[in-house]
Amino acid sequence: MANINTSNPVELSRALVLAYRPQAFFRRMCSTITHRTKSFLIDVEKKTRYLAPYVRDEEDGKFVARDGYDTITFTPPKVGAKRNITAKDLEVRLPGQAIVDISNESASNESYMSGLVIEDMLDLQRSIERREEQQIVEILSTGKVKTGVGNDINAPIPASNIFSVASADKFDAENSNPLEWIRKQSREKVVLNGGSSVRTAVFGGQAWDAFIKNKSVLEEFNNRRVNLGYVEPREDQMFPGVTYQGRTSEGIELYTYDEYYWNEGEKANKPVMPTDRVILIGGDRRFEMHYGAVFDGANGTINKTQTYAWEWVEGGKIRWRELESHPLFVPVNGGAIVSAKVL
């Protein structure tokens, strides 16, 4: 890292992409696709389960229609994060550095600056991934993303798959049966529209509390004669805020998600996952994170990358570094998602 030319945006961006690996729960479910253009096209196939018709021996086969597809144009929103460094910042040690030693034996100013630049860049990259994770959950919870700086971007999730449950089906209702409700959503929506049954259920904190206290859930999980699933919590150390809670007899993995992000506008920590919601995900989910190209006006280049990094000096005193990214989460097989407010 110390030998990186931080003034070269291409070299700096390449080092950043190679050094960073996604750590967020939903982001790790996505394949990564970069584009040479700002916008891109997605073909969403229609799925009709045709049966080949019976015909008489002397008859020819009968016509079976060909499924079509819808082509959707997406333009990812721009995400930008920057930070400056002054002479005073160079007098402060880096996190984990025991002492700042200015001597012939110490590292050169160039290598120290390079290390500080990379540390800043990785921290800014973490803020971008946090935005990606928040964007994914927002799309899975509402079917769209609101940036506040442009038009809403709609995802190809059927409107009927994002809803609030009826009062009788709320997880904290007296006679509700959440496990039966999950099975029904899997059979009637996810299998029908997404091609495979539910494999993952992600709960907000309050939704899980109501689920695990529900009388019918406790009766099924406590049945000693028939294995209808189990709850055996363990913290998943790979993903901040995520706890694996167990699985149902149908093989549905149960997770709770209690991670937070800082909302600058409200000056408060906010949950990434809505606390009153459960998201059901089918086996054939096709989660994709797309990145539009980044244009560098100074160099005249179009950059096909997840993240592009700049560094420049202002007024000969303040050094700035900035990351730019154009991420957009696309659940290509939107029928594999059911997202419901259950309280």
Side-chain angles (χ1 to χ4, degrees):
M1 292 293 184
N3 296 323
I4 293 173
N5 180 6
T6 59
S7 64
N8 184 328
V10 173
E11 185 175 343
L12 188 57
S13 301
R14 183 180 293 113
L16 186 62
V17 170
L18 291 175
Y20 195 78
R21 292 293 180 271
Q23 297 298 318
F25 181 57
F26 283 110
R27 179 62 184 86
R28 285 283 290 268
M29 298 184 187
C30 302
S31 58
T32 299
I33 302 174
T34 56
H35 297 274
R36 299 177 183 275
T37 55
K38 185 177 180 180
S39 301
F40 60 91
L41 302 176
I42 292 288
D43 292 332
V44 179
E45 298 181 30
K46 299 176 181 178
K47 297 179 180 179
T48 306
R49 294 173 171 85
Y50 294 111
L51 287 176
Y54 292 111
V55 296
R56 298 178 184 277
D57 289 343
E58 64 274 12
E59 292 179 339
D60 293 333
K62 293 183 179 179
F63 177 77
V64 176
R66 181 182 293 109
D67 273 342
Y69 57 88
D70 294 325
T71 300
I72 307 175
T73 301
F74 292 100
T75 302
K78 177 181 175 180
V79 173
K82 69 179 182 179
R83 182 176 290 170
N84 63 11
I85 184 171
T86 64
K88 186 175 181 180
D89 294 313
L90 294 177
E91 300 172 5
V92 180
R93 67 180 179 86
L94 292 171
Q97 185 179 10
I99 189 170
V100 179
D101 179 16
I102 303 176
S103 66
N104 292 333
E105 291 79 20
S106 65
S108 67
N109 287 337
E110 289 79 7
S111 63
Y112 182 82
M113 174 67 77
S114 180
L116 191 58
V117 168
I118 291 299
E119 192 64 32
D120 267 352
M121 289 297 190
L122 287 173
D123 195 37
L124 293 175
Q125 178 62 45
R126 282 187 281 270
S127 76
I128 290 179
E129 187 195 13
R130 204 171 292 117
R131 168 60 73 185
E132 293 173 356
E133 185 78 352
Q134 182 274 329
Q135 182 191 95
I136 292 171
V137 176
E138 182 180 358
I139 288 175
L140 294 178
S141 301
T142 68
K144 59 186 176 183
V145 58
K146 293 184 176 182
T147 65
V149 294
N151 295 329
D152 296 350
I153 303 173
N154 295 314
I157 301 176
S160 60
N161 283 29
I162 300 178
F163 57 94
S164 296
V165 301
S167 297
D169 289 329
K170 289 184 177 180
F171 286 8
D172 56 356
E174 180 67 25
N175 296 312
S176 66
N177 190 327
L179 284 169
E180 183 179 290
W181 177 85
I182 290 174
R183 287 191 286 265
K184 182 177 180 181
Q185 302 308 310
S186 180
R187 293 166 181 163
E188 298 182 4
K189 288 188 176 179
V190 176
V191 171
L192 179 61
N193 299 316
S196 67
S197 59
V198 172
R199 289 290 177 264
T200 304
V202 185
F203 294 75
Q206 293 179 11
W208 175 258
D209 290 345
F211 174 83
I212 202 60
K213 293 176 183 177
N214 185 277
K215 181 174 62 175
S216 65
V217 171
L218 292 175
E219 288 177 355
E220 286 203 33
F221 281 171
N222 288 333
N223 191 321
R224 296 175 181 268
R225 297 183 179 181
V226 181
N227 184 4
L228 296 173
Y230 63 88
V231 174
E232 187 178 332
R234 71 169 190 264
E235 186 176 357
D236 195 328
Q237 299 291 342
M238 288 181 63
F239 308 109
V242 176
T243 303
Y244 175 79
Q245 297 288 0
R247 64 184 298 171
T248 70
S249 58
E250 293 86 2
I252 301 173
E253 305 285 345
L254 308 175
Y255 293 89
T256 51
Y257 197 0
D258 299 307
E259 179 64 335
Y260 293 84
Y261 67 93
W262 176 256
N263 185 305
E264 185 63 32
E266 299 182 25
K267 303 297 182 183
N269 286 305
K270 295 291 183 179
V272 173
M273 175 83 181
T275 59
D276 58 358
R277 184 168 292 272
V278 61
I279 298 174
L280 308 178
I281 305 172
D284 185 22
R285 58 180 180 257
R286 284 197 64 190
F287 284 2
E288 297 177 353
M289 181 61 75
H290 291 259
Y291 295 89
V294 179
F295 177 67
D296 184 343
N299 291 333
T301 58
I302 297 175
N303 300 279
K304 181 176 179 286
T305 181
Q306 294 174 235
T307 306
Y308 196 70
W310 282 281
E311 188 186 37
W312 71 94
V313 177
E314 181 181 289
K317 295 182 178 179
I318 302 176
R319 184 184 295 268
W320 286 91
R321 67 284 314 265
E322 179 178 355
L323 295 188
E324 180 178 332
S325 183
H326 295 247
L328 182 62
F329 168 65
V330 181
V332 179
N333 187 10
I337 306 301
V338 166
S339 178
K341 182 178 178 182
V342 296
L343 297 178

